[in-house]
Amino acid sequence: ALKPEFFDACVGLATVLSWKGDYTASLQELGKLVDRYPNNSMLLSLSAKVSLWSDRIDDAIRYARLSLRYDSTDTGALLAIARAYEKKLDFESAMKSVRRLLELDPHNPEAIRLRDALKEESRNTAVLSVNGENFGPDNTHFNKIVSFTLSRRVSYRSVISAGVISRDVFGSRDVAG
């Protein structure tokens, strides 16, 4: 087994690396510890956060779910899952995690802010779903889409203002935002 001070040093190094923006190196350090201590919810939760910061959204969800398997009250893991689903534009799943977090910690300021933001985002964000992949206002692939379905959270104004929509999507004319 690792000596406690070595363990702490590795966690510290991973934390400092993530603060410096070297997420890959941070995740490598955390990965070494997670391999050795796969049921350590603190390591898994930290790995979820660093994965989220580095836009490794699916890894963030995976690590956070593993953390919750070992500690069902890990509010950091619940927040990481909620933020990951928010990035995926899956507001319903994000809100489920926020509600669960608020059941555990009703006054958590980050969860309250995220809950309020999710309510607003779900009202104002266009989500275009193509073959199971969501595209939001910041996505540049709108002009390549031929077949699509609009989710119940869409407003045409948001879709149109998101960028150039090709005639393949809206018919005979191009619409620029």
Side-chain angles (χ1 to χ4, degrees):
L2 292 174
K3 293 181 180 179
E5 54 274 353
F6 181 72
F7 177 88
D8 293 338
C10 290
V11 171
L13 175 60
T15 302
V16 169
L17 288 167
S18 70
W19 289 342
K20 289 183 165 193
D22 192 349
Y23 303 120
T24 301
S26 178
L27 287 168
Q28 287 172 346
E29 288 299 319
L30 289 169
K32 293 175 194 174
L33 292 173
V34 168
D35 288 345
R36 195 156 204 172
Y37 300 99
N39 61 348
N40 185 308
S41 63
M42 185 271 301
L43 288 175
L44 294 166
S45 187
L46 183 56
S47 297
K49 291 174 192 173
V50 175
S51 295
L52 185 61
W53 297 333
S54 63
D55 289 326
R56 294 176 172 104
I57 306 304
D58 292 329
D59 288 343
I61 292 169
R62 182 174 52 85
Y63 282 124
R65 283 187 178 153
L66 283 170
S67 179
L68 289 168
R69 182 184 301 165
Y70 300 109
D71 179 3
S72 62
T73 64
D74 184 347
T75 57
L78 287 167
L79 187 62
I81 289 173
R83 292 209 180 277
Y85 279 122
E86 178 190 28
K87 284 188 172 205
K88 291 182 104 166
L89 303 177
D90 184 348
F91 302 125
E92 190 173 319
S93 295
M95 189 62 87
K96 283 180 187 177
S97 290
V98 168
R99 283 189 194 113
R100 186 165 165 212
L101 192 162
L102 287 170
E103 286 173 8
L104 296 169
D105 184 2
H107 303 291
N108 184 304
E110 276 190 86
I112 292 168
R113 281 191 300 273
L114 183 55
R115 179 198 59 202
D116 295 344
L118 286 169
K119 285 179 182 178
E120 186 65 24
E121 285 180 35
S122 68
R123 281 193 291 266
N124 296 325
T125 301
V127 177
L128 188 62
S129 179
V130 179
N131 298 328
E133 184 175 350
N134 291 334
F135 296 89
D138 297 329
N139 195 290
T140 58
H141 297 349
F142 280 114
N143 61 350
K144 297 178 184 172
I145 297 169
V146 175
S147 108
F148 68 97
T149 58
L150 296 175
S151 79
R152 65 178 180 268
R153 294 187 194 100
V154 79
S155 79
Y156 290 101
R157 182 185 51 77
S158 297
V159 171
I160 291 169
S161 67
V164 175
I165 310 299
S166 77
R167 68 180 58 114
D168 294 328
V169 175
F170 281 99
S172 63
R173 60 190 170 96
D174 288 335
V175 179

